[in-house]
Amino acid sequence: MYLTLFLTYIFVLVALALGGLLLFIFQRNRKQVLKTEDGWWGPGAPPDAQEDVSIHPFQIKTSAEELQDLYRRIDQTRPVLSLEDSQFNYGFNSQYLQEVVSYWRNDFDWKRQVEKLNQYQHFKTNIEGIDIHFLHVKPKRVPKETEVVPIIMVHGWPGSFYEFYGLIPLLCDPSERDNLVFEVICPSIPGYGFSEAPHKKGFDSVCAARIFHKLMKRLGFQQFYAHGGDWGWLVTTNMAQLEPKIVKGLHVNFAPPSKPGLSMVLSLLLGNRFPKLFGFNGVDIQRLYPCMEKQVVEPIKETGYMHIQATKPDTVGRALNDSPVGLAAYILEKFSTWTCNDFRNLEDGGLTRKFSLDDLLTNVMIYWTSGCITSSMRFYKENFAKGLYQPHSKMPVYVPTGFACFPKELMHTPKLWVKQKYHQLKSYTTMARGGHFAAMEEPQLMAEDIRTFTKMIEEK
């Protein structure tokens, strides 16, 4: 009898142990889904009436009064002298700024640029109490046996939907390389451009991701691809975490580590001596080392704006909203040093080496005419105010992912680090050239990588 009881006891213990092990394995392998709740970002309390889901055409307009006000403010600017031999190391060089302002005042044709902006169809729809602006561009021609693939592309700061204007035709027009054409949706993040700013505190990347999911559902898409850089990287990543079965594939060109792990720390400490151990190539070594200079000193040089915007955005925002010249200096300086940090050592900041003044000033004018600079900067405050380790930062992404690694990006992310976050990394492309504003700077390279990645996922 005692033997029977003993064997029964052992059997129960083994069964419990096996059950616990199986439960642990199941819980560990279960794909986490980011949770979120609907919000209300309009003024006051949400109305009792049912939400208006209508979509309205929208057109960008300008007026003589708008331009007269701009010119008056430009004419009243008070220039300051830059230090001798300072180039862009102290910020936007004042002497070169005068040249840019002179072109803006006398040669830049905003009316013509408005026509260019309106070449694609714009719309607005109200979601969670605020008007969401977006472009919806359908392919004009769909050859036989060609698949139409919907893709949402999300910008960052200090960019706008205009960053994608060179990329859109390369995606929407048929290509000889594949049998894909894209239907492109480019929304403005709430508080940016012509999307209404939230009226309440707390609107972060997860809120933007939830709203963009609602937008895509309102447009009738059951599944779609997503692309983003800068804040667009985080918003589209959150979209993949919220609805992994709806986001068919995620393509990003910016992916700073959200939570440094042991493998990342070890790779930084030992990667220079044992690169093969961590899969590092020559580009990784060049971009990561010397470690103190590349990972500490250089980021400090380029992140002063972030500390301001993540703490007191309204203070500097008020000044920039009043001064078009100040706004241009603040925004365009990023298009210099974030395109290539060596441009800091040039008198003109290398601005027109990669972009035209017309394109750069068009982006500035979107901020100026919409008066969105303060609300756009608040996005930093809302995201950082909740801490560095929000639930989404600790959660992997299980959606098939493609990463385009541009050599002059602000922060270099080796393949090892990307795979820690994106568990289904299907492509990691080392790009030939390009910096932070890659979609605007190198639309051809970006289009090719998006097409290659999408074709890979579609074939599978």
Side-chain angles (χ1 to χ4, degrees):
M1 184 178 72
Y2 291 109
L3 178 62
T4 303
L5 288 173
F6 176 75
L7 290 175
T8 303
Y9 178 70
I10 294 297
F11 176 78
V12 171
L13 284 178
V14 170
L16 287 172
L18 285 173
L21 179 62
L22 288 172
L23 180 63
F24 172 76
I25 293 172
F26 172 76
Q27 292 285 355
R28 187 176 181 183
N29 291 334
R30 188 176 64 178
K31 295 179 179 179
Q32 296 172 285
V33 175
L34 188 62
K35 292 181 172 22
T36 185
E37 295 181 357
D38 290 347
W40 173 260
W41 306 103
D48 295 329
Q50 193 171 359
E51 185 179 30
D52 179 10
V53 297
S54 59
I55 297 172
H56 307 282
F58 171 75
Q59 195 171 45
I60 299 168
K61 296 179 181 179
T62 187
S63 65
E65 291 76 18
E66 182 178 71
L67 290 173
Q68 287 170 4
D69 177 67
L70 172 69
Y71 296 153
R72 177 182 61 81
R73 292 170 186 265
I74 289 177
D75 291 341
Q76 292 179 347
T77 187
R78 298 190 300 173
V80 296
L81 289 175
S82 291
L83 295 175
E84 296 177 4
D85 196 33
S86 61
Q87 294 86 37
F88 268 60
N89 287 287
Y90 283 70
F92 204 109
N93 182 276
S94 188
Q95 276 85 346
Y96 182 63
L97 181 60
Q98 286 303 106
E99 295 181 30
V100 173
V101 169
S102 176
Y103 179 84
W104 192 6
R105 175 64 173 86
N106 301 306
D107 300 302
F108 177 72
D109 191 340
W110 174 232
K111 291 181 180 179
R112 185 180 65 187
Q113 294 305 106
V114 166
E115 292 177 2
K116 182 179 180 180
L117 290 173
N118 286 325
Q119 68 178 295
Y120 299 122
Q121 288 187 305
H122 297 247
F123 300 90
K124 281 191 176 184
T125 189
N126 194 277
I127 302 176
E128 297 191 6
I130 51 177
D131 286 337
I132 306 301
H133 160 259
F134 64 98
L135 275 69
H136 188 175
V137 188
K138 298 180 180 180
K140 294 179 180 178
R141 183 172 63 88
V142 182
K144 288 183 180 180
E145 299 182 359
T146 298
E147 185 177 0
V148 179
V149 179
I151 185 170
I152 183 171
M153 301 197 298
V154 185
H155 64 87
W157 186 92
S160 64
F161 63 89
Y162 185 63
E163 290 180 66
F164 300 116
Y165 265 54
L167 180 58
I168 289 172
L170 300 176
L171 295 177
C172 291
D173 294 341
S175 170
E176 296 178 358
R177 297 176 60 250
D178 52 53
N179 59 343
L180 299 173
V181 291
F182 291 82
E183 185 172 346
V184 177
I185 295 86
C186 289
S188 295
I189 297 173
Y192 286 72
F194 303 107
S195 278
E196 186 178 354
H199 295 261
K200 294 174 172 59
K201 297 185 293 183
F203 189 92
D204 61 7
S205 63
V206 177
C207 300
R210 183 181 64 245
I211 279 180
F212 289 165
H213 264 298
K214 291 183 177 182
L215 171 64
M216 296 300 280
K217 289 175 183 175
R218 193 170 290 185
L219 292 172
F221 297 112
Q222 303 301 315
Q223 280 190 314
F224 54 86
Y225 286 80
H227 163 79
D230 195 86
W231 278 127
W233 140 74
L234 186 55
V235 173
T236 53
T237 293
N238 293 159
M239 291 180 75
Q241 293 169 318
L242 285 170
E243 301 275 7
K245 293 182 179 179
I246 291 177
V247 179
K248 202 171 184 181
L250 172 65
H251 185 275
V252 293
N253 57 280
F254 186 63
S258 54
K259 186 179 180 184
L262 179 61
S263 59
M264 177 185 168
V265 174
L266 288 175
S267 67
L268 267 178
L269 292 174
L270 304 174
N272 198 19
R273 298 190 64 183
F274 308 102
K276 291 183 179 180
L277 183 64
F278 302 99
F280 285 179
N281 57 29
V283 174
D284 296 324
I285 300 300
Q286 182 184 3
R287 290 298 312 276
L288 296 176
Y289 303 97
C291 193
M292 180 60 70
E293 178 189 339
K294 299 291 179 69
Q295 306 305 314
V296 179
V297 176
E298 190 60 35
I300 287 175
K301 289 181 180 179
E302 291 301 328
T303 52
Y305 80 98
M306 185 185 297
H307 297 288
I308 293 173
Q309 294 175 193
T311 53
K312 304 292 179 64
D314 284 27
T315 304
V316 67
R318 181 60 189 264
L320 298 176
N321 195 55
D322 264 358
S323 169
V325 176
L327 180 68
Y330 197 72
I331 289 177
L332 295 184
E333 183 248 315
K334 306 307 178 193
F335 280 85
S336 166
T337 53
W338 291 4
T339 299
C340 177
N341 59 14
D342 291 336
F343 286 176
R344 287 192 297 247
N345 300 317
L346 301 176
E347 297 293 342
D348 63 355
L351 267 182
T352 54
R353 294 192 178 193
K354 297 289 186 177
F355 311 104
S356 70
L357 281 181
D358 279 347
D359 283 340
L360 293 171
L361 289 171
T362 296
N363 183 64
V364 171
M365 285 294 285
I366 289 171
Y367 278 82
W368 176 256
T369 57
S370 65
C372 74
I373 186 61
T374 303
S375 55
S376 74
M377 295 192 298
R378 286 177 186 155
F379 202 54
Y380 286 80
K381 172 78 170 178
E382 304 297 8
N383 280 286
F384 286 104
K386 297 179 180 179
L388 296 177
Y389 298 121
Q390 297 179 53
H392 67 78
S393 69
K394 298 175 281 188
M395 187 179 296
V397 175
Y398 299 101
V399 168
T401 304
F403 181 72
C405 180
F406 286 87
K408 297 298 182 180
E409 180 57 87
L410 281 171
M411 179 177 290
H412 179 68
T413 314
K415 187 175 183 179
L416 173 70
W417 300 1
V418 179
K419 289 175 70 175
Q420 286 182 350
K421 178 74 173 181
Y422 301 89
H423 286 197
Q424 287 204 57
L425 184 66
K426 301 299 182 183
S427 69
Y428 181 100
T429 311
T430 301
M431 309 303 281
R433 57 191 177 275
H436 186 68
F437 304 99
M440 187 173 175
E441 180 189 347
E442 297 291 347
Q444 186 69 49
L445 291 180
M446 185 71 84
E448 289 173 1
D449 201 62
I450 291 174
R451 281 185 171 277
T452 300
F453 166 71
T454 306
K455 183 178 179 182
M456 181 193 310
I457 304 304
E458 289 296 304
E459 288 177 348
K460 287 184 179 180

